[in-house]
């Protein structure tokens, strides 16, 4: 039996939860608020209150630069993670886009590949699934069904969009169908070969395998089904003791079947108070923590270590009693200050350049 690593106490029931693909951040929806934690130290970095009703779904882009939120207020919001992290605790940053074309609550979200240039799909009880462009916020496609849509996903090539209905049906929408129309109606009678039938209750979750040949679905009928996409045949049914709320296909970790495998870095205690405020659990931990992956670390001193060494040397030199050559000490301090200033400028230029690349809108 898996042992509990960490228990996060939240101010209310969590309606949706997701982690960034790079493993640095965790998002949780509690009532109409979005909570953002940093995994490495457990700091609560932001509480976003831009929805008017309870959150229903959250998801990150594949590069972790943006995240999307959907709620019962019929709104889907696109957030720039950089803007959220840079905002003052007393301020609520504005989302990059507000998608308000749905007329009933949002039930699911899905992001394709491409980071800020990716496409995103939204599902709603208004019987539509919509496809959007994250960079421009433009609506690319709206498909109308004859039932409310509870789940949506895209295959990796983004040739097909799969939508799970309240009646248990799963619909396959061809995104490259000709002629191209922004508003389409999925007519089950005419497109019977593009419907997966087997669930007896609403479909709650969908996931496509990496090779695009298999579709995984979960339902309130207490089953998880694995489908062959080409033939629409159910290959396997897994029974559960209650409604299935979430299921997805993921590549197995290397140590998944190792009985002695344990996480190399334990999770810290997640804070219940906003980082940087007076009520923070750890008022002494200020600043930004930067951690490089193992593949990015090089032997010898890193840039941060060198900067820290120079800072400590500079301040220790200032605090020394000026015994000896006053002129020599002044020159040494000036050289160190100039070096630190140059490093700060280089760091700022690199940061501004990478920010412009990440947030550059599509042409």
């Amino acid at each position: 039996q898996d042992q509990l690593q960490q228990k996060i106490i939240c101010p209310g029931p969590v309606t949706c939860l997701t982690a960034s693909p790079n493993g640095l951040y965790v998002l949780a929806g509690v009532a109409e608020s979005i909570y953002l934690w940093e995994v490495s130290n457990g700091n609560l970095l932001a509480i976003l209150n831009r929805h008017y009703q309870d959150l229903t779904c959250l998801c990150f882009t594949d590069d972790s630069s943006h995240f999307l939120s959907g709620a019962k207020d019929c709104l889907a919001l696109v957030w720039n993670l950089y803007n959220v992290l840079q905002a003052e605790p007393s301020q609520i940053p504005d989302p990059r886009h507000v998608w308000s074309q749905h007329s009933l609550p949002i039930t699911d979200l899905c992001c394709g590949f491409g980071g800020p240039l990716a496409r995103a799909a939204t599902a709603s009880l208004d019987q539509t699934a919509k496809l959007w462009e994250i960079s421009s916020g433009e609506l690319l496609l709206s498909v109308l069904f004859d039932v409310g849509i509870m789940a949506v996903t895209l295959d990796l090539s983004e040739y097909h969009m799969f939508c799970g209905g309240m009646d248990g049906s799963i619909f396959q929408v061809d995104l490259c169908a000709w002629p191209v129309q922004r508003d389409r109606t999925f007519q089950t009678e005419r497109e019977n070969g593009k419907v997966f039938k087997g669930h007896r209750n609403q479909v709650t979750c969908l996931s496509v395998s990496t090779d695009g040949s298999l579709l995984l679905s979960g339902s309130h009928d207490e089953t998880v089904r694995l489908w062959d996409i080409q033939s629409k045949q159910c290959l396997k049914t897994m029974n559960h003791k209650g409604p299935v709320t979430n299921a997805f296909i993921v590549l197995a970790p290397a140590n998944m079947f190792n009985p002695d495998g344990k996480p190399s870095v334990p999770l810290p205690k997640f804070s219940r108070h906003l980082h940087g405020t007076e009520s923070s659990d750890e008022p002494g931990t200020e600043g930004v923590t930067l951690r490089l992956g193992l593949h990015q670390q090089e032997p010898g001193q890193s840039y941060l270590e060198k900067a820290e060494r120079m800072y400590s040397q500079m301040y220790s030199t200032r605090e020394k009693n000026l015994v000896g050559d006053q002129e020599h000490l002044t020159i040494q301090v000036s050289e160190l200050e100039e070096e630190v200033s140059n490093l700060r400028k280089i760091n700022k230029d690199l940061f501004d350049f990478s920010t412009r690349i990440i947030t550059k809108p599509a042409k």
Side-chain angles (χ1 to χ4, degrees):
Q1 184 178 0
D2 292 338
Q3 293 184 352
L4 180 66
Q5 286 192 47
Q6 182 59 261
K7 185 176 181 180
I8 306 174
I9 305 299
C10 296
V14 177
T15 55
C16 48
L17 182 72
T18 189
S20 61
N22 59 17
L24 299 181
Y25 303 100
V26 168
L27 286 173
V30 179
E32 68 275 2
S33 301
I34 303 172
Y35 286 71
L36 173 64
W37 283 279
E38 187 175 9
V39 175
S40 63
N41 51 32
N43 288 334
L44 178 59
L45 302 181
I47 302 176
L48 306 175
N49 299 290
R50 288 300 300 266
H51 283 284
Y52 305 104
Q53 294 187 36
D54 290 355
L55 269 292
T56 57
C57 43
L58 292 163
C59 72
F60 273 95
T61 55
D62 62 317
D63 67 344
S64 305
S65 66
H66 292 70
F67 62 90
L68 283 68
S69 61
K72 293 182 179 179
D73 58 7
C74 315
L75 298 178
L77 307 182
V78 180
W79 302 86
N80 185 317
L81 181 60
Y82 167 75
N83 291 340
V84 172
L85 296 177
Q86 292 298 312
E88 295 293 332
S90 60
Q91 298 177 345
I92 300 178
D94 293 326
R96 181 172 178 178
H97 301 299
V98 178
W99 294 334
S100 57
Q101 279 83 339
H102 284 291
S103 56
L104 286 176
I106 307 292
T107 55
D108 198 13
L109 293 166
C110 174
C111 280
F113 283 89
L117 304 179
R119 297 186 292 183
T122 56
S124 172
L125 292 178
D126 63 7
Q127 302 185 358
T128 66
K130 300 182 186 294
L131 191 67
W132 311 80
E133 187 177 56
I134 293 180
S135 59
S136 64
E138 181 183 356
L139 175 62
L140 303 177
L141 175 68
S142 178
V143 184
L144 177 64
F145 301 88
D146 52 8
V147 294
I149 302 301
M150 303 300 299
V152 65
T153 191
L154 301 166
D155 62 1
L156 292 188
S157 61
E158 297 185 20
Y159 283 162
H160 305 291
M161 179 170 64
F162 299 91
C163 306
M166 294 189 67
D167 63 350
S169 300
I170 302 172
F171 310 101
Q172 176 181 317
V173 179
D174 294 334
L175 300 180
C176 300
W178 189 265
V180 178
Q181 296 175 315
R182 197 172 85 162
D183 296 297
R184 291 162 55 180
T185 300
F186 190 95
Q187 299 178 350
T188 307
E189 300 80 10
R190 293 184 181 181
E191 305 185 69
N192 194 37
K194 299 176 182 177
V195 180
F196 300 78
K197 295 182 178 179
H199 285 297
R200 301 182 306 277
N201 205 332
Q202 69 182 41
V203 177
T204 56
C205 49
L206 294 169
S207 180
V208 181
S209 62
T210 53
D211 62 358
S213 64
L214 301 175
L215 175 68
L216 185 73
S217 62
S219 169
H220 275 187
D221 65 5
E222 303 183 2
T223 65
V224 171
R225 290 176 179 262
L226 189 65
W227 308 82
D228 178 72
I229 292 178
Q230 187 171 2
S231 65
K232 309 295 185 291
Q233 295 297 312
C234 180
L235 303 178
K236 187 175 182 179
T237 301
M238 292 156 278
N239 296 309
H240 291 262
K241 296 181 180 180
V244 178
T245 57
N246 200 6
F248 55 92
I249 298 174
V250 64
L251 296 176
N255 63 344
M256 180 176 180
F257 301 105
N258 181 9
D260 299 325
K262 294 182 179 180
S264 57
V265 180
L267 286 173
K269 180 181 177 182
F270 276 40
S271 175
R272 290 179 292 172
H273 302 289
L274 201 59
H275 182 59
T277 61
E278 293 182 357
S279 58
S280 177
D281 292 336
E282 299 180 0
T285 56
E286 297 182 358
V288 178
T289 301
L290 298 177
R291 297 191 178 185
L292 297 177
L294 293 177
H295 63 284
Q296 294 175 302
Q297 294 181 357
E298 298 179 357
Q301 285 188 318
S302 66
Y303 160 75
L304 293 177
E305 291 171 335
K306 291 179 180 178
E308 184 178 0
R309 179 178 58 82
M310 283 190 290
Y311 264 108
S312 61
Q313 184 177 355
M314 181 177 68
Y315 286 120
S316 63
T317 303
R318 283 180 169 177
E319 292 171 358
K320 283 182 180 178
N321 294 325
L322 297 181
V323 181
D325 191 354
Q326 176 70 33
E327 183 178 356
H328 175 72
L329 288 175
T330 303
I331 294 175
Q332 188 177 9
V333 169
S334 300
E335 290 177 349
L336 288 171
E337 288 180 336
E338 183 179 358
E339 183 66 20
V340 169
S341 177
N342 291 334
L343 287 172
R344 280 179 172 174
K345 184 177 183 304
I346 293 172
N347 187 40
K348 183 178 183 303
D349 291 342
L350 288 172
F351 182 78
D352 292 342
F353 176 76
S354 59
T355 302
R356 287 197 301 270
I357 294 297
I358 292 174
T359 59
K360 182 180 180 181
K363 295 183 178 179

